[in-house]
Amino acid sequence: MSKEQYSSEEERIHERLKQKPWNEIRSNDSWAIFKIMSEFVNGFETMARIGPCVSIFGSARTKPEDKYYLLAEEIAEKIANAGYGVITGGGPGIMEAGNKGASRGTAPSVGLNIELPFEQHFNPYISHDKNLNFDYFFVRKTMFVKYSQGFVVMPGGFGTLDELFEAITLIQTKKIAKFPIILVGSEFWGGLIDWIENTMINKFHNASPDDLKLIKLVDTSEEVLQVIEGFYKKYSLSPNF
């Protein structure tokens, strides 16, 4: 098959397999550790200075006129005015809405951007010096979970599901503290909750019924804030801004 007959993705795979001996590829991959290390160091040093934050996850494809964009904006503003910084993925859609709402509040608006071939770019509502750029998803996700004291999950796609289940898994396995995970939008998340309860837990016994208690399903900004503040009140904690 000639090069012209390959699709762009097929060509990428074909070129990857033929261009170098595997031992040379592995050798070059070893040097990536220095790039990974620099992303961790920069992320740790920047995020450690910010203080307690709540992460907001959601789709990059959500338009400004969408009700969930407007709701994410409202939620972020209330979280920021309550004294918590807001962390998003730094891009458009729900991420932009989160940073936009937080920028009207009194706490930092943080963006953890990822280099992608489409959709992703910094939004203009991130606080000065609070925008970080990553090449590696796993480094970026470490920053989300290490420096968040709560997770608000708006409707989204595969990336949002990845972030959601990362947080659930780390809490379930006690790798991080049991911070609140709040799903916003029962019309979007209701089917997933039903599947987890009826199929994953009750039918196949692949999770514990207690694991479902890690998740709160809400529909309003007031409910989001009640969950977050209720958690902090329970443990006699408060934001330290």
Side-chain angles (χ1 to χ4, degrees):
M1 184 180 288
S2 68
K3 185 175 180 179
E4 289 74 21
Q5 291 174 284
Y6 287 108
S7 69
S8 58
E9 189 57 37
E10 288 172 333
E11 182 179 330
R12 183 180 179 188
I13 296 170
H14 183 70
E15 292 299 320
R16 173 68 172 171
L17 291 175
K18 78 173 187 178
Q19 64 185 350
K20 294 177 181 178
W22 281 107
N23 63 336
E24 186 178 344
I25 292 174
R26 288 197 297 269
S27 177
N28 289 342
D29 285 348
S30 298
W31 288 97
I33 193 170
F34 295 103
K35 170 63 174 170
I36 294 167
M37 187 185 303
S38 70
E39 290 197 357
F40 272 119
V41 170
N42 186 42
F44 289 156
E45 289 186 347
T46 301
M47 297 300 293
R49 295 192 297 265
I50 293 174
C53 292
V54 173
S55 286
I56 296 180
F57 301 135
S59 177
R61 305 185 186 196
T62 306
K63 303 301 181 185
E65 63 274 13
D66 188 280
K67 67 178 182 179
Y68 286 109
Y69 182 106
L70 299 173
L71 182 55
E73 193 177 335
E74 182 182 326
I75 289 168
E77 184 174 1
K78 289 184 177 180
I79 290 173
N81 283 329
Y84 307 91
V86 171
I87 304 175
T88 81
I94 293 295
M95 295 174 282
E96 178 183 282
N99 288 129
K100 185 177 181 181
S103 70
R104 295 199 296 263
T106 57
S109 174
V110 185
L112 307 181
N113 195 47
I114 185 78
E115 292 286 350
L116 295 176
F118 58 92
E119 288 186 356
Q120 191 78 357
H121 55 78
F122 274 125
N123 67 68
Y125 301 104
I126 300 168
S127 301
H128 179 62
D129 293 334
K130 300 295 188 298
N131 54 336
L132 291 169
N133 210 45
F134 299 90
D135 284 324
Y136 298 96
F137 270 110
F138 65 91
V139 180
R140 180 181 183 239
K141 286 198 291 183
T142 298
M143 301 305 148
F144 273 123
V145 299
K146 182 175 177 60
Y147 294 102
S148 294
Q149 282 76 52
F151 304 92
V152 176
V153 192
M154 308 295 296
F158 291 119
T160 302
L161 291 175
D162 178 46
E163 292 158 342
L164 167 63
F165 284 109
E166 176 88 5
I168 293 173
T169 300
L170 291 172
I171 291 174
Q172 177 202 45
T173 55
K174 299 181 173 25
K175 294 299 183 182
I176 63 173
K178 194 182 289 187
F179 294 121
I181 298 175
I182 308 164
L183 305 186
V184 182
S186 55
E187 64 178 350
F188 184 87
W189 296 110
L192 176 63
I193 296 297
D194 288 343
W195 178 82
I196 291 173
E197 182 175 11
N198 297 320
T199 302
M200 181 188 289
I201 295 176
N202 294 336
K203 184 175 182 180
F204 286 90
H205 311 291
N206 289 333
S208 166
D210 286 340
D211 293 333
L212 201 57
K213 297 176 183 177
L214 300 174
I215 307 168
K216 300 291 185 182
L217 181 60
V218 306
D219 286 294
T220 67
S221 60
E222 290 80 11
E223 290 174 296
V224 171
L225 205 60
Q226 284 172 9
V227 172
I228 294 172
E229 292 189 327
F231 169 84
Y232 273 79
K233 183 177 180 181
K234 177 181 178 180
Y235 293 100
S236 301
L237 301 172
S238 63
N240 59 7
F241 290 102

